[in-house]
Amino acid sequence: MNLDLFDHPDFHSNWREDLCPGAVVLRGAALEDDVRLLAEIDRIAGLVPFQYRATPGGYAMSVAMTNCGDFGWVTDKAGYRYQATSPENQQQWPAMPALFRAIAVKAAQEAGFPGFDPDACLINRYQPGAKMSLHQDKDEHDFGQPIVSVSLGLPAVFQFGGMERSDKTQRVQLTHSDIVVWGGPSRLRYHGVLPLKAGEHPLTGSYRFNLTFRKAS
Ligand code: MD3
Ligand code: FE
């Protein structure tokens, strides 16, 4: 028998996966907003272009970054930090679009974090080969606040481990329109992204974008 349901143009694969305590994937949750999200990313990148920043150790990152919101995440020889202005032009980051905020707040609520009030949105852009090594996100002030991540464009293999870098890791594929909420006991887990495989996405071409929403202050 043919499951015609899956061929119907109105079918959206929206479902929920619990990855580990405190972390939930909302598959397809950004699908109906994808075109508008990508238009906002384009607009923001027109104001504050993507940069390949250097780690404190002096290595160029393979992921290009920009930000919107009251604070943006940056790195250079002085270290990792959030700041209210872009190092390139000394101007405030573009405001966080209402659509970005609404999507992040709704996802956090669905994952059990009502009242999430993000003030920072880091926009990561991956090209083929770009990766993010295992790390913890610990530049924020309140680890009681979750991080909401929205994936757009080419799929990536995401890696998450435990509280020690040496803990064994699990892999999960994150594809276009998946949202992940990391909170509670998962908030300080080590995580990373394996090198992006080349491909062509109808909306983003050869790129993957990831938005991470945080309460930085
Ligand atoms: C797990 N970005 O920008 S988002 C980052 O796909 C970052 O660009 C990745 O890690 C990306 O810091 C992954 C998913 C994510 C974000 C925060 C986490 C996973 C997390 C915090 C704790 C545990
Ligand atoms: Fe991270």
Side-chain angles (χ1 to χ4, degrees):
M1 191 188 76
N2 232 335
L3 290 171
D4 292 334
L5 172 65
F6 298 107
D7 297 327
H8 193 278
D10 290 339
F11 179 76
H12 291 315
S13 42
N14 263 89
W15 71 91
R16 178 186 176 106
E17 286 168 33
D18 292 306
L19 284 181
C20 55
V24 51
V25 191
L26 306 168
R27 297 280 184 196
L31 199 52
E32 60 189 29
D33 301 306
D34 59 359
V35 169
R36 277 171 295 166
L37 286 168
L38 288 164
E40 292 286 19
I41 292 172
D42 249 25
R43 185 181 61 77
I44 292 164
L47 297 169
V48 186
F50 282 101
Q51 301 284 336
Y52 295 97
R53 298 196 182 284
T55 64
Y59 294 96
M61 297 186 75
S62 58
V63 176
M65 301 176 165
T66 187
N67 290 276
C68 64
D70 292 342
F71 299 96
W73 187 86
V74 299
T75 172
D76 56 25
K77 283 182 179 158
Y80 303 126
R81 63 195 178 275
Y82 285 94
Q83 60 179 53
T85 55
S86 154
E88 284 68 40
N89 65 7
Q90 269 63 252
Q91 305 291 301
Q92 310 258 287
W93 302 101
M96 189 184 298
L99 174 68
F100 279 28
R101 163 177 293 278
I103 287 171
V105 168
K106 181 174 177 225
Q109 169 162 1
E110 286 177 1
F113 299 94
F116 181 49
D117 181 25
D119 57 12
C121 175
L122 171 64
I123 308 175
N124 291 333
R125 188 189 68 189
Y126 294 73
Q127 64 210 49
K131 65 179 169 63
M132 201 174 280
S133 307
L134 275 185
H135 66 277
Q136 289 173 298
D137 288 18
K138 49 182 187 187
D139 301 321
E140 302 78 23
H141 286 120
D142 180 1
F143 301 140
Q145 295 296 319
I147 292 179
V148 175
S149 139
V150 179
S151 292
L152 294 166
L154 289 179
V157 179
F158 180 78
Q159 205 178 14
F160 67 100
M163 302 297 288
E164 309 284 344
R165 187 185 295 278
S166 56
D167 288 345
K168 83 172 201 307
T169 59
Q170 300 177 63
R171 292 176 176 190
V172 61
Q173 171 136 290
L174 294 179
T175 64
H176 179 72
S177 77
D178 291 343
I179 301 185
V180 192
V181 182
W182 301 87
S186 75
R187 177 63 179 75
L188 288 172
R189 279 184 185 248
Y190 274 88
H191 60 278
V193 179
L194 298 187
L196 193 78
K197 261 189 71 186
E200 220 18 64
H201 187 277
L203 295 180
T204 67
S206 56
Y207 291 116
R208 168 181 189 253
F209 295 94
N210 183 265
L211 308 173
T212 47
F213 294 92
R214 302 127 187 277
K215 174 77 176 164
S217 67

